[in-house]
Amino acid sequence: MITLNVLQTLVHYSLHFLFPGLLARLFFKKEWKKAWAIMVATMLVDLDHLLSKPIFDANRCSIGYHPLHTNYAIAFYMMLLFFPRTRIVAVGLLFHMLTDYQDCIWREFLSR
């Protein structure tokens, strides 16, 4: 039987790696493979976790904690949507933030 912790992990990584492919197919039809690769590459935003001690804490919410996961950073990512050259990166970064946020909700629910 699958536990809720395992389900949360499956949802998290599916949203980080598989769902961007769906977004790419829906919104960037002509260049969906390139768009998918770029959106997956936005995972590099998690390098800011290296600035934390400990680097990984299963009970820590990334949103608002790590420098590239703050409201200021998210506002900047939203601004990138307005420029065609950065739109795919913006979608990847914003969806990454949404995925991390839903992860925070899971953690809150599972800690009860």
Side-chain angles (χ1 to χ4, degrees):
M1 183 169 143
I2 251 180
T3 67
L4 287 179
N5 286 326
V6 171
L7 181 61
Q8 180 264 330
T9 301
L10 287 172
V11 168
H12 181 86
Y13 288 104
S14 294
L15 289 174
H16 271 321
F17 292 103
L18 300 177
F19 199 77
L22 179 62
L23 290 176
R25 291 287 280 166
L26 288 173
F27 298 110
F28 305 101
K29 290 179 172 89
K30 291 182 181 178
E31 54 185 0
W32 75 269
K33 290 178 185 176
K34 175 184 169 188
W36 188 4
I38 291 170
M39 284 189 254
V40 169
T42 63
M43 297 286 273
L44 291 171
V45 75
D46 279 340
L47 287 173
D48 65 352
H49 292 227
L50 296 174
L51 301 172
S52 302
K53 287 187 181 182
I55 292 172
F56 176 74
D57 180 354
N59 295 314
R60 180 171 54 217
C61 179
S62 295
I63 303 300
Y65 186 83
H66 301 292
L68 298 176
H69 290 69
T70 62
N71 290 333
Y72 295 112
I74 293 168
F76 177 73
Y77 305 152
M78 286 180 161
M79 289 177 14
L80 294 176
L81 283 172
F82 295 102
F83 305 98
R85 294 180 71 123
T86 58
R87 193 163 291 142
I88 295 171
V89 171
V91 170
L93 288 167
L94 289 169
F95 193 75
H96 182 101
M97 296 303 127
L98 183 65
T99 297
D100 283 1
Y101 179 70
Q102 70 80 37
D103 208 30
C104 298
I105 294 169
W106 271 96
R107 292 187 201 289
E108 180 67 27
F109 176 76
L110 293 174
S111 69
R112 293 182 186 177

